[in-house]
Amino acid sequence: MPGSLEPLDLTVQIPYHFRCPISLELMRDPVIVVTGQTYDRSSIESWVATGNTTCPVTRSPLTDFTLIPNHTLRRLIQDWCVANRAFGVERIPTPKQPAEPSLVRSLLNQAASASNPTHSRLSALRRLRGLARDSDKNRSVISSHNVREVLINLVFSSSQSLDLSHESLAILVMFPLTELDCVAISSEPERISYLADLLFHSSIEVRVNSAALVENVIAGTRSSDLRLQISSTEIIFEGVIDILKNPLSSPRALKIGIKALFSLCLVKQTRHKAVSAGAAETLIDRLADFDKCDAERALATIELLCRIQDGCAAFAAHALTVPLLVKTILKISDRATEYAAGALLALCSASEQSQKEAVCAGILTQLLLLVQSDCTDRAKRKAQMLLKLLRDAWPEDSAGNSDDFLYSEVVPF
């Protein structure tokens, strides 16, 4: 890779003036500071972000933090990369320049002005969205211009086209919300109802963006009353679960769907709504499709729902629930193991049939391995409780019913 010296040490020498004076690596986006020195953009930005106010080379004060792209040097570096392709050097891409604050202000004003034609406002929003997608730097510049307040007003304004609302929503979910932003949305039931309706929009992108905003708002709202108000909204669980059910859901849709469902299920008064909406069947059917982090959330959601009677019954009714949870132990992560053990403990405490299914699925071996592993103390305590609970369900010739196990130090009853 051009940004790393290791593959090039024995075959090609990087010209000194192509190296960043800070990182000593090949520059990918050379920029000039006020002292006339050139640095790689990421390196000098990190230098300034850590509180340094002088030029690293000259030690002169940086009286202006404007960074000017050094196009001439960048083109020379690109030509050098092409000339040395035989040595494994890849051409550095032409970097996209960060958004100018003046441009961001102009686009926001154009989008927010009700006197402008709808197509003009949409054009401004789409350009803002493109800038926000390009880089973290752009999102930081846009965020510093009061973008959240403007976008929230555009999303929930009833006097404008739905296209403006949907485009504003797509941009809003790219930015973290403050608690005041969350309260501004969650304290108005009409706004939450609007988001719930969008969960059934014909466009999967609009549905996913709505779920993302629901998750952001409920996660950023401290008031338990407001959180309850959100999770009590009609059809909100059905909408989120429908995203997870959709066979065409992208990885982003699955990630946002499970994050939203988990956040909603943290409100214990409304967990029964998740069960009624089909959460149990959907979570079990989709469990194998999640990546590690999302699988942890899914298992945490399963454990939460197993804490209520309806939830236990719904999961117990699915033939794959217990075998999948048993198989999950020690397979994904310590957290996943803890949540799976907690769900199994709830299921087996509520049903003898679940106990028999767990034993048939090989839970004894899994639990014995778990209590001897480096897993969390909570996971081990749940495993010990499960072992004690399942003792009578083990076959007569199993290790669990042997005299050796009775006096084992692994699981002190």
Side-chain angles (χ1 to χ4, degrees):
M1 294 295 291
S4 175
L5 303 183
E6 284 75 11
L8 309 177
D9 286 343
L10 301 178
T11 54
V12 63
Q13 185 67 34
I14 301 176
Y16 175 78
H17 55 285
F18 288 177
R19 298 175 186 257
C20 173
I22 299 175
S23 67
L24 300 182
E25 294 182 347
L26 186 69
M27 288 187 280
R28 304 178 66 85
D29 186 7
V31 292
I32 304 170
V33 298
V34 67
T35 61
Q37 293 293 323
T38 296
Y39 302 94
D40 202 17
R41 182 184 295 275
S42 60
S43 296
I44 191 63
E45 285 181 342
S46 297
W47 170 269
V48 173
T50 54
N52 295 293
T53 59
T54 58
C55 174
V57 172
T58 66
R59 295 299 177 183
S60 301
L62 293 174
T63 55
D64 185 343
F65 293 102
T66 301
L67 304 178
I68 302 173
N70 192 331
H71 296 298
T72 301
L73 180 57
R74 190 248 308 152
R75 282 192 287 268
L76 288 173
I77 293 174
Q78 289 175 325
D79 291 343
W80 177 85
C81 290
V82 172
N84 288 275
R85 185 182 303 166
F87 297 100
V89 182
E90 296 179 9
R91 181 182 182 276
I92 62 170
T94 300
K96 294 182 178 180
Q97 298 307 312
E100 291 293 334
S102 58
L103 173 61
V104 171
R105 283 193 298 271
S106 174
L107 292 174
L108 279 174
N109 290 336
Q110 183 178 337
S113 176
S115 61
N116 287 333
T118 298
H119 69 85
S120 175
R121 301 172 72 186
L122 270 174
S123 176
L125 286 172
R126 286 167 181 159
R127 194 168 177 192
L128 270 176
R129 187 180 181 184
L131 291 173
R133 279 176 169 171
D134 280 346
S135 67
D136 291 337
K137 177 69 175 178
N138 282 359
R139 287 191 290 276
S140 177
V141 172
I142 295 171
S143 182
S144 67
H145 285 79
N146 200 31
V147 67
R148 292 184 301 273
E149 181 179 344
V150 172
L151 293 175
I152 288 173
N153 289 334
L154 288 173
V155 168
F156 297 106
S157 175
S158 58
S159 60
Q160 63 187 20
S161 78
L162 291 178
D163 287 341
L164 281 174
S165 174
H166 299 163
E167 194 66 37
S168 300
L169 175 62
I171 305 172
L172 182 60
V173 296
M174 295 183 183
F175 298 93
L177 301 180
T178 66
E179 186 177 1
L180 289 177
D181 296 329
C182 293
V183 170
I185 297 172
S186 60
S187 60
E188 296 191 28
E190 300 82 11
R191 291 185 166 185
I192 300 300
S193 294
Y194 175 65
L195 292 178
D197 289 338
L198 289 183
L199 292 172
F200 296 91
H201 193 273
S202 58
S203 165
I204 185 63
E205 183 184 18
V206 172
R207 294 164 64 187
V208 171
N209 287 336
S210 178
L213 188 55
V214 168
E215 190 274 329
N216 289 344
V217 170
I218 198 168
T221 300
R222 293 186 182 181
S223 167
S224 57
D225 290 339
L226 288 178
R227 290 162 65 90
L228 176 58
Q229 183 171 293
I230 296 170
S231 63
S232 298
T233 303
E234 289 298 321
I235 69 173
I236 199 165
F237 278 102
E238 287 83 353
V240 170
I241 291 171
D242 196 58
I243 291 174
L244 293 173
K245 283 182 180 178
N246 192 326
L248 300 179
S249 288
S250 63
R252 175 178 180 258
L254 289 177
K255 179 178 289 294
I256 289 174
I258 192 58
K259 287 178 70 175
L261 182 58
F262 173 68
S263 295
L264 289 166
C265 288
L266 287 173
V267 182
K268 61 183 179 181
Q269 298 97 316
T270 54
R271 286 175 191 161
H272 65 281
K273 288 180 173 287
V275 177
S276 299
E281 181 180 359
T282 302
L283 286 169
I284 295 302
D285 290 345
R286 275 296 202 179
L287 190 57
D289 299 326
F290 294 120
D291 63 21
K292 174 185 172 182
C293 187
D294 295 332
E296 290 176 349
R297 287 195 186 94
L299 290 163
T301 307
I302 292 172
E303 184 181 11
L304 287 173
L305 294 178
C306 281
R307 294 178 184 178
I308 63 173
Q309 186 175 354
D310 290 350
C312 257
F315 281 107
H318 197 300
L320 294 180
T321 296
V322 173
L324 271 178
L325 291 177
V326 171
K327 185 179 179 180
T328 296
I329 292 176
L330 298 176
K331 293 294 184 182
I332 300 176
S333 67
D334 287 354
R335 282 187 177 182
T337 294
E338 179 184 328
Y339 300 141
L344 284 167
L345 180 59
L347 289 167
C348 291
S349 297
S351 164
E352 289 187 5
Q353 180 61 32
S354 293
Q355 294 180 22
K356 294 176 182 177
E357 291 176 6
V359 171
C360 291
I363 194 173
L364 172 57
T365 301
Q366 294 289 78
L367 293 179
L368 290 176
L369 290 172
L370 170 54
V371 295
Q372 298 177 81
S373 71
D374 294 327
C375 211
T376 65
D377 290 339
R378 287 191 299 272
K380 291 181 180 181
R381 284 196 298 271
K382 292 173 182 178
Q384 291 167 354
M385 294 171 70
L386 264 171
L387 284 167
K388 187 173 183 179
L389 176 67
L390 296 174
R391 182 72 185 277
D392 294 336
W394 293 333
E396 289 296 329
D397 58 349
S398 72
N401 277 321
S402 70
D403 291 337
D404 290 341
F405 184 77
L406 181 61
Y407 297 105
S408 170
E409 295 182 359
V410 174
V411 187
F413 293 143

